[in-house]
Amino acid sequence: MDIITEPSALGERAREWTRAGRTVGFVPTMGYLHAGHESLMALARKRAEVVVASVFVNPTQFGPGEDLEAYPRDPERDAALAKRVGVDVLFTPQAEAMYAPEAATWVEAPSLARHLCGASRPTHFRGVCTVVAKLFLLVRPTVAVFGQKDWQQLAIIRRMNADLGFGVEIVGAPIVRESDGLALSSRNVRLTPAERAEAVGISRGLALAEAMVQSGERDAGRIVAEVRARYATDMPSGVVDYLECVDPAAIEPVAAIAGPVLFAAAVKFAAVRLIDNRYVDVQAASR
Ligand code: AMP
């Protein structure tokens, strides 16, 4: 596995792959890699001849007062994991190499960023979109793999890819969880043991939402109220940033459930904000 830090060097390698007609799979990450990232890389490995992964804690997707500095980092362990999964090139740029001080261009899809994380982190998705666009231009991937854990991000990347004509095949990968159901996240390491014990409540609440749909409840407001009550009991030190039932593609609130929906939650434990979601198909549920 090669580790490349210079964007121009990665661009040159990518042009060689293109000239040679090789398919390229790409997995962008912010590092501190875990089994969730690993599953994305393994999927890319299956789907393409060359696999590129990036580790870049992208400053433009963090708002003021968020955890850019505190975001966990372990470059050596990341490199070992990427190598073990069969990544060919690991791209680990410095922020200065990715953004010129005078950079003034953003890529954004505001209509998909009104709710969920976009509501509480108003500049987050333009940072994500911009960096993914820049990475797509460097890597020129055939296929790129993103986790469904960041469902809204995946929806926005699909839109951007179509709107700007990148022509990348976007693959969404299932959420990898701890054995008790907590979605894996690089941020989990920042939880205290007591917070970690409570945090399992996030996925349990989302499972309750699905169970309510399965038993015939179609009023999203009633389900959300019930899950909120459960959150208050199960996670006394958690502060719910949002808990919503949205259309999985448009990321707009749904009141009466008549088709597939997404229950999505963000909960803060002190400085650690965790997200999770559950896709629920009412058709499948009522069969
Ligand atoms: P991050 O490093 O958190 O920015 O995530 C990089 C990629 O890994 C994104 O596409 C995430 O959706 C994905 N990812 C993060 N956690 C998980 C997980 N638990 N299961 C599946 N994919 C994940």
Side-chain angles (χ1 to χ4, degrees):
M1 184 182 78
D2 292 338
I3 298 181
I4 295 182
T5 55
E6 280 311 310
S8 57
L10 178 65
E12 183 46 46
R13 284 290 284 280
R15 280 188 289 278
E16 284 168 20
W17 297 324
T18 305
R19 274 196 295 272
R22 305 186 76 190
T23 55
V24 178
F26 179 45
V27 180
T29 82
M30 297 208 301
Y32 211 75
L33 302 178
H34 52 64
H37 300 113
E38 192 175 335
S39 73
L40 271 47
M41 292 172 187
L43 204 55
R45 180 70 282 164
K46 278 202 203 120
R47 300 291 300 267
E49 290 159 353
V50 178
V51 175
V52 180
S54 59
V55 169
F56 179 51
V57 183
N58 172 38
T60 64
Q61 69 190 67
F62 289 80
E66 291 184 359
D67 58 350
L68 173 61
E69 269 79 41
Y71 199 85
R73 291 163 169 87
D74 191 340
E76 270 142 45
R77 197 170 61 91
D78 286 351
L81 183 146
K83 187 174 175 191
R84 177 159 53 76
V85 192
V87 168
D88 299 299
V89 170
L90 187 64
F91 180 51
T92 60
Q94 295 296 311
E96 299 70 35
M98 289 297 283
Y99 294 104
E102 63 278 21
T105 307
W106 295 106
V107 181
E108 54 184 334
S111 64
L112 289 171
R114 280 200 291 261
H115 298 277
L116 309 185
C117 289
S120 45
R121 306 181 74 191
T123 57
H124 173 66
F125 286 117
R126 73 167 198 196
V128 170
C129 260
T130 303
V131 81
V132 171
K134 287 165 72 72
L135 290 166
F136 278 6
L137 288 169
L138 283 172
V139 178
R140 304 270 171 176
T142 322
V143 50
V145 188
F146 293 84
Q148 289 169 349
K149 158 132 186 303
D150 298 85
W151 186 284
Q152 187 175 21
Q153 165 175 286
L154 175 57
I156 289 176
I157 298 297
R158 283 192 198 284
R159 191 69 259 146
M160 175 195 77
N161 180 59
D163 290 348
L164 299 186
F166 280 106
V168 177
E169 184 190 347
I170 307 292
V171 172
I175 304 176
V176 177
R177 299 176 178 282
E178 300 281 5
S179 53
D180 65 358
L182 176 69
L184 292 188
S185 164
S186 305
R187 289 183 168 104
N188 290 352
V189 69
R190 300 187 56 219
L191 298 169
T192 65
E195 290 166 342
R196 168 65 187 84
E198 285 186 29
V200 64
I202 303 174
S203 60
R204 294 215 174 123
L206 296 171
L208 168 64
E210 170 157 27
M212 288 180 74
V213 175
Q214 264 160 3
S215 53
E217 181 62 77
R218 295 291 179 265
D219 181 332
R222 271 209 289 268
I223 297 174
V224 164
E226 185 84 19
V227 176
R228 268 187 185 277
R230 182 66 68 86
Y231 276 3
T233 318
D234 289 356
M235 300 188 286
S237 51
V239 176
V240 179
D241 181 0
Y242 64 75
L243 171 66
E244 283 193 69
C245 175
V246 298
D247 179 285
I251 318 289
E252 288 284 343
V254 167
I257 301 172
V261 291
L262 188 80
F263 288 96
V267 178
K268 267 182 104 165
F269 291 93
V272 186
R273 183 176 172 282
L274 302 179
I275 61 170
D276 197 355
N277 66 74
R278 200 159 174 121
Y279 177 92
V280 178
D281 186 350
V282 68
Q283 250 95 46
S286 58
R287 265 200 292 269

